[in-house]
Amino acid sequence: MICKPFILLGLGSALALSPAAQAQQKAPAKPAMATTKSTGGTRLVEKVTRKGSELVIPYEKYVLPNGLTLLVAEDHSDPLVHVDVTYHVGSARETIGKSGFAHFFEHMMFQGSDHVKSGEHPKIISAAGGSMNGSTNRDRTNYFETLPSNQVETALWLEADRMGFLLDAVTQQKFEIQRATVKNERGQSVDNRPYGLADELKDRALYPYAHPYSWSVIGSLEDLDRSNVDDLKNFFLRWYGPNNATLTVGGDVKPAEVVKLVEKYFGSIKRGPAVADMKVAEPKLASDRYVSYQDNIRFPMLQLVFPTVPQYHPDEVALDALADIIGRGKTSLLYKNLIKNQKAVQASASHPTSELGGEFTISTFNVPGQQLDSTEAVIRKTFVELEKRGITDDDVQRFKASREASMINRLASVSGKASQLAEFQAFTGNPNRLPEEMRKLQALTKADVQRVYNQYIKGKHAVIVSVVPKAGTPVAAAHPNKFEVSKAGFKAPADEYKGLTYVKAKDNFDRTQRPKSGANPVVKVPAYWQEELPNGLKVIGARNSEIPSVTLLLSMGGGHRLEQQNPAKVGVAALTASMLNESSQKYTGEEFTAALNKLGSTIQVSLGNDNTTVYVQSLTKNLDKTMALLQERLLHPRFDEADFARLKKQTLEGIAAQNTQPVTVANKTYARLLYGANDIMSVPTSGTAASVQSITLDDVKQFYQQNYAPNVSYLVVVGDVEQKDVMPKLAFLKSWEKKSVALPTVNPAVQPDKTRIYFVNKDGAAQSEIRVGYLALPYDATGEYYRAYLANYMLGGDFNSHINLNLREQKGYSYGAYSYFGGTRYVGPFTAQAGVRADATAPAVKEFMTEIQNYPNGVTDEEVAFLKTAVGQSDALKYETGQQKANFLGRIVEYNLPRDFVQQQQTILQNIKKEDIQATAQKYLPANSMYIVVVGDRAKAFPGLGELGYEVVEMDADGNRVAAPAPAAAATPAAPAAAAADAAELGDKKMKRKAKDEDGKKMKIKHKEGSDAK
C-alpha cells in the first residue's frame, strides 16, 4: 500500500461515520439528476455531498460523449484550483523489448502541441504563479497543475491541447533531446544510486517473462535506443484518448462553469480505441528464487518479496497491517531482532500494491560484515516468533490509528483531495470509494491479519535479492543465484498498434487564442496570534479548521553551529537530537512509539544547521495525549546507555558509507571549500569518524542541558484549535528552564581569489555531480537577499530558467539543473548545481559558467514581466496546508518580520526594473571568483576540464589534494581530512528537483508524485 502514488499516506477516518454514510457504504450513492444533460451532451452521473461529520470528498461526476470522465470537487477553502488528467496507461501497457514508452511519453507531453509552443506549457503555469508536473507508474500516467483559481480555463486549454493536438508537434529533435533527458534521469535515479538496480532484478525474478511488471517504469537503455518517433506516436494514439482518461478539477470553482469549459476544450476530441482491463497470470513461485549483484555500497542489502494481492483487494488492508507489525518502527519485530541488537542499520516491511499484483517486501541493510544468509535466518525466525506470539489487539489498534491520521492529513490540500478522487475513479470507477476503504479499515480484526499471514507468507516462496559490496569486508549473497528467466510458454502479444490514425478535432472557436484570466484572487496572509511565556518562549499560532488536525513546530536556535564552541565533538548535536527520539523517563523507545501510534501522532526531533526542530502532528481529538508525550520527549529524556551505543554505531557506519556516493562527495567537498577548515560548517552535521568516536553519553547530556532552552526557541501552532484552548495544553512548557545559551556569531566569509575547478574521482560514476558557487548573503525578507532571490529566478530558480533550459531541454546533459541563494541568519552560499551525463561533464561546466557570466546582460523585459507574474501570483500556493502556514509563521518569528512584510515584498517585486535585476546579478554573481566542484569518473569526466581556462585541482573524497597544490596566492584554505556528509545512502529513491525560496528554505520547483516524475 505504501507505494501507491495517491494512497501513500494510508486510509482511515478521524470522524465517526453517520448513519447516512454507513448506508452509503452498503450501496453505491444514487446518482443525483442522472439523466440531466448539458447543452454539450455531457451526462451528470452522480453528485456526492457531505452529510454531517462524515469524511468524504464532495464532488460531481460527469461523462462527455467522447468518453472523458470529469470529476469536479468544489472547495472554496483557498483561492486555488488543481487540475489533474489521469490516463489509465503506464508501463504495464508496454510490451517486452519496448519498455519505457509510457514514461518517455510523459516527457514528450511537455514539449508543445499545435497551439502551445515548445516549452510554453511550463512557462505559462509558472507565470501564473502555479506549479505543475507529470508522473508515471506501472498503471497510470498523470499530468497536473495547481494554480490560482482565476487560471482554471488556461489549465484546461493546455491539457486539452496536448490530449487532442500533440502529434504534429512531436519532432525528431524533440524526441532526441527528451530521450537524452530520460537517460539522464535513469542515470541519476537508477544507475548512479546505491541499490538502484535492485528493483529491476527483483521484478525480473518475481514476474513471468514478458509480464508487464517484469520491467521497470523508466525502461532500459537498450529499449530507449531502439525506440523511434513512430513507436512513440503509435503509443499515444493507442492509449491517450479521452475515453481512457479522467479529468479532475478541484478547488475554488463552480461545477457548472467547469462543465462548460471542459465541453468547449475537450468535447470535440475524438474517442480513442477501446481500452479493456488487463488480465495477466499471477506470479507463482515453485521455490525460492535467489538473485544478487555487486554494487558500490557499504551496507549489504537483503530483500524478501512475496507475491500477494492487487490494490483494492479485500485482503490488502490486512496485509498492510501485517507489514506494520513485522517491520514498521520501534514496535516491530524486525526492529527488535535486527536493529536494536545492531545487526542491521535499517530493517523494514512494506506492502506496495499495483493494479495487477502486490508485493509483501522485507528489506534489511546490514552492518558491514554481517552475512546475508544469517540475516535471512533471522527473518525466518521472526516469522516463527510471530506465529508463537500471535497478532494482538494493540497491534491492530496502532495500525488503525496511524492509518486514520494519515488519511485525514492527506486531505489538507486541494491537490490531495483531487488526486484521491482521480485514483479511485481510474482504478475502481467509483470516486466515492473512501467510505468503503474506511469501512474495511474499521472492520479489520487481528484474525484477519493472522489469516493473511497464513495465506500469503507462512510457508510460501519468495524472491530473495542480495546486494553485496564491491569492496570492504567480504560479504556473500544469501545464497548462490538460483533463478534464470525462462521464456517457456511465452506467446508474442497481438499487435495493438495496427491501423491507428491521427484525426484532429474540429472546433467552432480559435484554439490559438490563449484564454484570458479572470481577476487575480485575493490572497490573504494567515491571521495569527502571538504570546510570549515568562521563560522567553515565543508562541505564534493560526486557526486552520479545514481538517481536524494540529501541527506544531518547536525550533531551538543554534543547531549544528553550536558545535563551533568545541569542534572536536562535532556530531554531538545530531546525536543529542537522535537521543530525544529514543527513551524518555517514563517510556522506553518502543513504548513511546507505541503510544504515538495508538494516537496516530508524530513527534520527531531533528537537527539543522541553525536550529534543532521538534515536529508534532496530531489529530485534534488526541491533542491532549500528544502534548503529554511531547512533554516527556522534550523535558524528560532518559539518555539510556544502550540507546546511545546503538545510535553512535549507526552514525559511524553512516559516516563510513558516505564516500560511496557522488552526490554526498560533491556536497562535502563544496562545503569544505566554501567555509574553510576553521568553520564548523565545513563539516557535516553527522560529524567525522574521529569526532563521533570521542563523544560520550555525558557529552550528549551536557549539550542538552546547556543548549535546549526556551529563551532561544519559538513554537508555532497551526490547526483546528483556538488560542484560548491550546495555550492551557502548553502550560507544561512554562516549567522549561531558561538558560544562557551563546548563539554563534556570524563569521566573515572567505572568498576564493579566482575561479578554480576542484575535481574528485569517483570510479564508475554514471553521472558527474557539479557544484558552482561561493558564500554570498544572509537572509533578509525585504533587502538585498530578497532582491538576489528575484535576480536568480530566471537564471536558475524556475523550470524555465536559463540554466535548466540550456542543460536539460536544449543540450540533454542533465535531468535538472538549477541555482539558488541559501542564506539564513548566517551568510549562505549562491549555488548552481546539477547531475550531468558523464561524457558531457566539461561541456556542462562550460555552459554553467557561460550562463552565470552572461546573465547580467541577458535579462530581457519579457523575463522581468514573467518574474513579476510568476512570483507575484504564487502566494496562493504558499499558505494552503497547516504545515505551510506553520513554516510561514515560523519565519516571521525567527527573523522578527513585520506583519506587512509580504506586502513590502510585493511592492519591491512590482517596482523592479530590468536594470535593477542586472545590477543585482552583476554584484552577486562573481563568475571570476567561484568554486567549481566536479565529482565523476576520471576516465569520462576529467577530459576537457583543463581546456576550460580554469586551474584544475584534483582532490580525494576526504578533501586531500592529490595533484600539484594550487599557487601560493590561492586563498583556498586547507580542507579537513576526515569530514563526512549527512547520510543519504538509504534516502529517497527518486530524484526530487529542489531549489530554495526567498526565505532560504528548500522548496520543490516541480511537485512530484508517483513512481517517476518529469
Side-chain angles (χ1 to χ4, degrees), residues 302-320:
L302 183 70
Q303 194 172 72
L304 278 72
V305 184
F306 298 84
T308 61
V309 299
Q311 61 186 354
Y312 304 120
H313 187 281
D315 289 343
E316 181 184 24
V317 174
L319 283 160
D320 292 345

Side-chain angles (χ1 to χ4, degrees), residues 166-184:
L166 182 85
L167 291 190
D168 285 347
V170 176
T171 65
Q172 186 69 34
Q173 181 182 13
K174 292 178 183 179
F175 174 85
E176 294 298 344
I177 290 174
Q178 290 310 309
R179 175 155 56 184
T181 300
V182 172
K183 287 182 177 181
N184 287 323

Side-chain angles (χ1 to χ4, degrees), residues 294-300 368-371 468-476 656 660:
Q294 287 187 325
D295 202 351
N296 186 24
I297 56 172
R298 178 172 175 80
F299 307 125
Q370 179 74 22
Q371 295 298 319
V468 298
K470 290 182 178 178
T473 305
V475 173
T660 63

Side-chain angles (χ1 to χ4, degrees), residues 8 15 36 140 169 216 281 316 344 389 395 504 708 806 814 826 828 908 959:
L8 184 63
L15 307 173
T36 299
R140 66 99 186 99
S216 68
E316 181 184 24
R389 83 185 264 284
D395 291 334
K504 289 187 184 181
Y708 280 49
N806 183 336
S814 174
Y826 303 88
I908 293 170

Side-chain angles (χ1 to χ4, degrees), residues 61 76 134 145 217 226 243 295 306 349 380 412 551 614 635 647 662 691 709 768 770 814 835:
K61 176 179 175 179
H76 301 291
E145 298 92 1
V217 174
R226 279 195 296 265
N243 51 304
D295 202 351
F306 298 84
R380 303 286 187 185
T551 299
V614 185
L635 301 184
L647 291 174
S691 68
S768 297
I770 298 173
S814 174

Side-chain angles (χ1 to χ4, degrees), residues 629-837:
L629 291 172
L630 175 61
Q631 180 177 1
E632 273 290 302
R633 177 146 283 179
L634 178 65
L635 301 184
H636 305 292
R638 184 182 299 188
F639 293 123
D640 183 80
E641 187 72 52
D643 290 338
F644 175 74
R646 172 172 41 82
L647 291 174
K648 181 175 177 177
K649 181 175 180 180
Q650 289 177 354
T651 301
L652 289 168
E653 290 294 349
I655 291 170
Q658 288 158 359
N659 285 352
T660 63
Q661 305 161 80
V663 170
T664 307
V665 173
N667 291 337
K668 288 197 307 181
T669 305
Y670 185 54
R672 294 187 193 107
L673 295 169
L674 284 175
Y675 294 99
N678 297 321
D679 193 314
I680 202 67
M681 292 297 291
S682 68
V683 184
T685 58
S686 54
T688 69
S691 68
V692 172
Q693 197 68 255
S694 74
I695 296 172
T696 66
L697 183 56
D698 285 339
D699 293 326
V700 168
K701 293 178 180 178
Q702 183 181 43
F703 188 88
Y704 169 80
Q705 292 294 340
Q706 292 179 347
N707 298 301
Y708 280 49
N711 47 303
V712 293
S713 304
Y714 63 84
L715 175 66
V716 184
V717 183
V718 175
D720 186 26
V721 63
E722 298 281 3
Q723 177 185 4
K724 64 181 177 60
D725 297 321
V726 75
M727 289 307 297
K729 301 178 192 299
L730 302 174
F732 68 90
L733 291 171
K734 294 179 181 179
S735 65
W736 194 6
E737 182 183 355
K738 186 176 182 179
K739 300 166 187 173
S740 178
V741 181
L743 294 178
T745 58
V746 177
N747 293 328
V750 178
Q751 305 299 0
D753 62 329
K754 68 176 183 178
T755 296
R756 294 179 180 83
I757 296 174
Y758 296 84
F759 179 81
V760 182
N761 179 46
K762 188 61 184 167
D763 287 333
Q767 287 195 316
S768 297
E769 287 292 329
I770 298 173
R771 306 288 184 270
V772 180
Y774 77 107
L775 280 182
L777 288 162
Y779 171 80
D780 67 74
T782 56
E784 287 291 280
Y785 184 87
Y786 181 68
R787 295 177 185 275
Y789 156 74
L790 296 176
N792 174 71
Y793 192 81
M794 288 310 302
L795 173 65
D798 181 74
F799 182 86
N800 309 281
S801 66
H802 292 205
I803 289 173
N804 191 57
L805 291 182
N806 183 336
L807 272 72
R808 171 179 163 139
E809 297 297 297
Q810 297 168 15
K811 301 293 194 308
Y813 293 162
S814 174
Y815 178 41
Y818 57 97
S819 63
Y820 60 88
F821 285 90
T824 60
R825 292 190 302 272
Y826 303 88
V827 175
F830 163 80
T831 302
Q833 68 181 80
V836 303
R837 209 174 66 227

Side-chain angles (χ1 to χ4, degrees), residues 331-385:
T331 61
S332 71
L333 296 174
L334 290 179
Y335 176 85
K336 176 178 71 71
N337 294 339
L338 285 170
I339 297 178
K340 193 168 185 179
N341 57 19
Q342 301 182 32
K343 293 180 179 179
V345 296
Q346 188 179 102
S348 62
S350 61
H351 183 230
T353 58
S354 302
E355 188 175 20
L356 304 178
E359 302 169 9
F360 192 94
T361 303
I362 293 175
S363 300
T364 70
F365 297 85
N366 284 3
V367 297
Q370 179 74 22
Q371 295 298 319
L372 293 176
D373 58 352
S374 65
T375 302
E376 183 184 356
V378 171
I379 294 172
R380 303 286 187 185
K381 289 179 182 178
T382 299
F383 291 155
V384 175
E385 179 184 356

